[in-house]
Amino acid sequence: MFLHILCSFCVIYTLALCVQTQSVEDEEAIDLSHLGSKLFQNPNFEFSKNLNADYPEEQGPYLQGDLLIPTGNAKNGMKSESYRWKNGEIPYVIRGRFSSTEMSLIQNAFNQYHKSTCLKFIPRRSAQSDYVAIDNSQSGCWSSVGRVGGEQVVNLQSPGCVTKIGTVIHELLHAVGFLHEQNREERDKFVSIINSNVRTGYEINFKKASPGETTGYGVGYDYGSVMHYSAKAFSKNGQPTINAKQTTKEQMGQREGFSKKDIEKINKMYKCKRPTAESDPSILTSSEAPSSESSFLSNIFQAIFPSSNMDEEEMIEEQNQLLRL
Ligand SMILES: [Zn+2]
């Protein structure tokens, strides 16, 4: 009997090592160093309470309007890189007090991700240490870039940031690991920045990336990206700050949802592969989708320690709470 138990633990330990090794390989880093120290601040509670719902993310005092890693969180403090989410799974909690309409909008944003990519927003289980807390208790729309470790807030001030689905998708896409389209290194071929119309002190928001600092994953410049600024972003006089250099039918700053290229880029970053779900062929799966080893390990734990079902129950309760809101 003793040998049997010992053997079981050996199998568990070996499998755990395999899973851990795979997870480390999955953790592709996202370089944040070119964004500089302004990325690290604390939320500004003095910020305007009357956000323009068309482009609320462009009105913040934060880097590029809405990029922020709060310095109050010591675990995340001043790290110049973040990471992709393991297996494309993004655990979340709803921290803010959103109206039922706002909750529906957030859920619809999740659905757009689930429909078009292999990313999965899942209610956080207690064992998951890295997760997104969706909040509205602070001012402005803002998010960290990528997975920074521990709890990371995506703040969606109500009602300004939860009026258009594209605004929610935009902020979540920062948490996924994406930056603004017009700051790409090759943007000068596609847009011109009219510095004379930019508000004094906000010029840094238009600083483009240097070669090699970021990647477009081989996907071309996209005027219609949900991550592109609007033509009058950070304007001091109502005149355009961004002019398209090429003829395009796309609207810079659209916030209706993903563009085709947004989806293409996400699926390349997370190595999404073929559609799998037989019930919904539009759902893609990650090549690093939850491993069979992980499921097998979970089954073994559950078989030996039946009480470990608690996490699952917590998850269901969390989902129920979400639906009751
Ligand atoms: Zn943004």
Side-chain angles (χ1 to χ4, degrees), residues 81-111:
E81 66 178 22
S82 63
Y83 302 91
R84 294 189 319 186
W85 293 85
K86 294 173 190 172
N87 303 324
E89 292 182 353
I90 305 175
Y92 72 88
V93 297
I94 302 293
R95 176 67 47 73
R97 297 183 72 82
F98 294 98
S99 71
S100 57
T101 305
E102 292 165 349
M103 282 301 303
S104 295
L105 191 78
I106 293 168
Q107 187 60 56
N108 285 340
F110 289 158
N111 292 345

Side-chain angles (χ1 to χ4, degrees), residues 57-58 63-67 141-143 170-171 174 178-180 182 226-229 255:
E57 69 284 350
E58 294 175 0
L63 181 64
Q64 297 182 16
D66 65 344
L67 303 183
C141 326
W142 51 265
S143 171
H170 177 110
E171 294 307 326
H174 282 314
F178 283 84
L179 294 163
H180 292 124
Q182 75 289 326
V226 77
M227 303 308 280
H228 204 297
Y229 280 171
R255 295 292 181 264

